[in-house]
Amino acid sequence: GVVGLFMQMTPEVIEVTPYIMRVFSLSYIPQAVCVFCVFYLQSIVHPKKATVVSLLRGVILNGAFLMIFPVFFGGNSIWWAIFMAELVTMLVAVVYMVRIYREHKKLIRHGVHPRQPAVYQGRAVLRPAAGERGEDQDRGRSGGRGGDFHPV
């Protein structure tokens, strides 16, 4: 099978492969949710949250669980460590998504469209933050000077 592409198939490998594949494949669903959440968070300009989710699933939780699980649960637990890291990361990502949904719902209820960009000559531009004025603001451009600009 697939495992034979990566290693020599010995009787021991043939015996443990089904268990490993079943446990490892459980991580595919939370992994897909995490990847979707990272892409979505990036697309709605929440880079810090997207980075947290990426680092949790890629480095922090995988590394920590791979070191901790075998100590407490034995050698075969490394396969469960990957699944649990993905699951915990998915829960963090879902919490972020629910908070953003509630925030956007509240803004829409008050007549404000969340993250709506200003449009100038058919392309999205950045508006100055509240209380700031760029030189060319009247013409819809930031002016290149004038402080911190935020997407609206």
Side-chain angles (χ1 to χ4, degrees), residues 14-114:
I14 292 170
E15 182 182 337
V16 298
T17 299
Y19 172 77
I20 292 169
M21 294 296 284
R22 283 187 203 112
V23 172
F24 190 76
S25 65
L26 290 173
S27 68
Y28 293 152
I29 292 175
Q31 180 183 34
V33 172
C34 290
V35 170
F36 168 79
C37 288
V38 167
F39 290 158
Y40 181 73
L41 290 167
Q42 288 174 340
S43 73
I44 62 170
V45 195
H46 284 270
K48 289 179 185 174
K49 290 176 181 164
T51 301
V52 167
V53 173
S54 292
L55 288 175
L56 280 176
R57 72 171 292 271
V59 179
I60 298 168
L61 290 179
N62 274 331
F65 287 178
L66 283 170
M67 288 188 287
I68 293 170
F69 272 45
V71 172
F72 293 104
F73 306 112
N76 278 337
S77 66
I78 61 170
W79 309 112
W80 287 101
I82 303 297
F83 169 69
M84 292 305 293
E86 293 290 349
L87 190 64
V88 170
T89 304
M90 182 185 77
L91 294 175
V92 169
V94 167
V95 166
Y96 281 159
M97 300 293 280
V98 168
R99 286 181 180 172
I100 290 168
Y101 171 76
R102 288 179 180 162
E103 174 188 316
H104 285 192
K105 190 174 176 181
K106 188 185 333 177
L107 288 172
I108 291 169
R109 199 174 323 127
H110 289 90
V112 178
H113 191 280

